[in-house]
Amino acid sequence: MDENIDVNADNTKIHSNKTEEKASSWSPGTGPKESPGKRLYRRASVCLGLLCVLLLTALIVLSLYYKTSAEDTEVQLNGLKGERDQLKNYYHYCLAKQICPQGWVDFSSRCYYISCQQKNWFESQQDCKQRGADLAIINSGEEQEFINNLNKRIWIGLTDTDKEGSWNWVDGTNLTIRFWKQNEPNDAGGKEDCAESAVEFNPQMIWNDIPCELQRYWNIQNHNLCCTATNLQP
């Protein structure tokens, strides 16, 4: 009986010692070892988190940079627009102060030269070219009324010699504003390829297509200088 008690006591002591050894191996701060897969997953998560933080920081910095850059660009653009407007105003001021050469007539900041002799359309344009100009190119109703007040039949720089029915100005620009007489242009006889500005009560219906070989005076135009061609007979 006593021997059994001693054996049980020994077994209890041995069991107690093993429990203490096991408990000591599980000291605070020490846990079971992680598998390599878990460690790799944790490191990848940390790296991904850091990368997200860096990307977010970069986006914030870039947005602030571009916002500042856009504001600076807008300021510069507004400054350039202001300079452009000043230059335009100065340009118109210079035109308004322009003094026309002797023998030329001023109208709406342009100078016009009216010939004293008659020539056909081609000779008139050639004379204008020699003066560094072109036959008149009419861009407004006011300009057309001014030419009508000259009270002469005038060559203008309008022709369809290159392509029948396709009227263009001598500087190569297309016809956008028209002051044709009623039923004109009609290319009567198939030979009317040049335009004149006749003398009419209504200056808004005054152009007529006629043969280019007819004799007219002319009106020169060169950026700010214009040349007209006319005929003594109204």
Side-chain angles (χ1 to χ4, degrees), residues 118-130 212-215 218:
Q118 300 179 52
K119 293 182 179 181
N120 65 40
W121 190 92
F122 299 105
E123 292 172 339
S124 299
Q125 172 64 1
Q126 182 61 33
D127 183 273
C128 292
K129 284 293 187 183
Q130 291 175 355
C212 301
E213 291 74 20
L214 293 182
Q215 300 290 305
W218 62 94

Side-chain angles (χ1 to χ4, degrees), residues 8-24:
N8 290 334
D10 291 338
N11 290 336
T12 302
K13 184 177 181 180
I14 293 171
H15 179 72
S16 176
N17 290 335
K18 290 182 178 180
T19 303
E20 289 177 358
E21 290 176 358
K22 185 176 181 180
S24 63

Side-chain angles (χ1 to χ4, degrees), residues 25-26 29-39 42:
S25 66
W26 287 75
T30 303
K33 294 184 178 180
E34 293 181 335
S35 65
K38 289 185 177 180
R39 287 198 300 271
R42 177 176 293 181

Side-chain angles (χ1 to χ4, degrees), residues 84-136:
R84 180 202 62 186
D85 293 339
Q86 290 179 355
L87 288 174
K88 287 176 66 177
N89 293 334
Y90 182 70
Y91 171 75
H92 291 301
Y93 171 81
C94 291
L95 290 181
K97 294 297 182 179
Q98 175 181 270
I99 299 176
C100 294
Q102 185 176 2
W104 294 67
V105 180
D106 174 78
F107 174 75
S108 187
S109 301
R110 289 187 176 185
C111 296
Y112 292 77
Y113 174 82
I114 297 91
S115 67
C116 299
Q117 55 181 315
Q118 300 179 52
K119 293 182 179 181
N120 65 40
W121 190 92
F122 299 105
E123 292 172 339
S124 299
Q125 172 64 1
Q126 182 61 33
D127 183 273
C128 292
K129 284 293 187 183
Q130 291 175 355
R131 299 172 188 266
D134 283 310
L135 287 171

